[in-house]
Amino acid sequence: MSTERTLAILKPDCIRKNLIGEVIRRIQEAGFIVRAIKMVRLNLREAEGFYEVHSARPFFGELTTFMSSGPCVPIVLEKNNAVADFRTLIGATNPAEANEGTIRRAFADSMGENIVHGSDSPENGRIEANYFFPEHEIVNHTL
Ligand code: CMP
């Protein structure tokens, strides 16, 4: 069976709204295996590093300030077709455009405060997972 990894981040609004358990429940129910998980508080420089690809965007300051405003929960997830399936599960970046039944549609307030991040390609999934977790902390516990 071929599997793929993606990095999810439960964002500070998810933690503030006490939705960690509910969001992880939906993720697991959709068939994703948790390979690594922790709670971290990013400082501004760490948030800027993670989102460097967006550094020229007008919302970069807002995004990095928000992501460093409270704790986050990064999670390495594994599944067949993990990247695309996770993006389907969470819904569009703008919660107003997210499909019914998606995590962002259910819980997100705005484009900036949108509960959860998901990698946009398998390559970025690996890079982003390693931003938070060295390879030896990503556990193959079902093997
Ligand atoms: P995420 O999946 O974490 O990747 C980049 C983030 O930038 C995105 O989710 C949004 O939270 C944020 N973002 C994208 N567009 C905007 C915008 N127009 N205004 C504020 N934040 C945005």
Side-chain angles (χ1 to χ4, degrees):
M1 184 168 81
S2 72
T3 58
E4 190 173 278
R5 283 180 184 166
T6 190
L7 182 79
I9 305 176
L10 309 190
K11 298 187 179 187
D13 54 333
C14 181
I15 283 72
R16 275 184 206 115
K17 290 177 170 180
N18 281 330
L19 288 169
I20 295 174
E22 171 60 19
V23 172
I24 293 175
R25 186 190 68 75
R26 288 179 180 229
I27 291 169
Q28 291 188 304
E29 204 165 85
F32 292 87
I33 306 295
V34 173
R35 293 294 187 203
I37 183 168
K38 64 183 170 188
M39 181 177 277
V40 292
R41 173 81 189 258
L42 298 175
N43 63 34
L44 184 61
R45 290 186 58 167
E46 290 166 334
E48 288 172 348
F50 181 80
Y51 281 115
E52 197 186 351
V53 64
H54 295 305
S55 60
R57 303 286 191 93
F59 56 82
F60 185 64
E62 181 189 327
L63 171 63
T64 54
T65 298
F66 169 61
M67 290 300 287
S68 57
S69 69
C72 289
V73 176
I75 310 172
V76 178
L77 297 169
E78 199 169 283
K79 184 185 178 298
N80 286 335
N81 205 35
V83 168
D85 285 1
F86 191 70
R87 290 170 77 80
T88 300
L89 178 70
I90 65 180
T93 305
N94 183 349
E97 293 166 8
N99 288 336
E100 197 65 53
T102 62
I103 290 171
R104 285 171 170 162
R105 174 66 174 259
F107 303 122
D109 290 333
S110 66
M111 194 107 110
E113 304 206 3
N114 63 357
I115 298 287
V116 62
H117 165 82
S119 306
D120 65 4
S121 70
E123 191 197 355
N124 282 337
R126 278 190 298 279
I127 293 167
E128 291 180 1
N130 291 139
Y131 195 83
F132 289 99
F133 302 98
E135 202 54 40
H136 71 272
E137 289 183 9
I138 302 175
V139 183
N140 273 327
H141 54 78
T142 54
L143 294 180

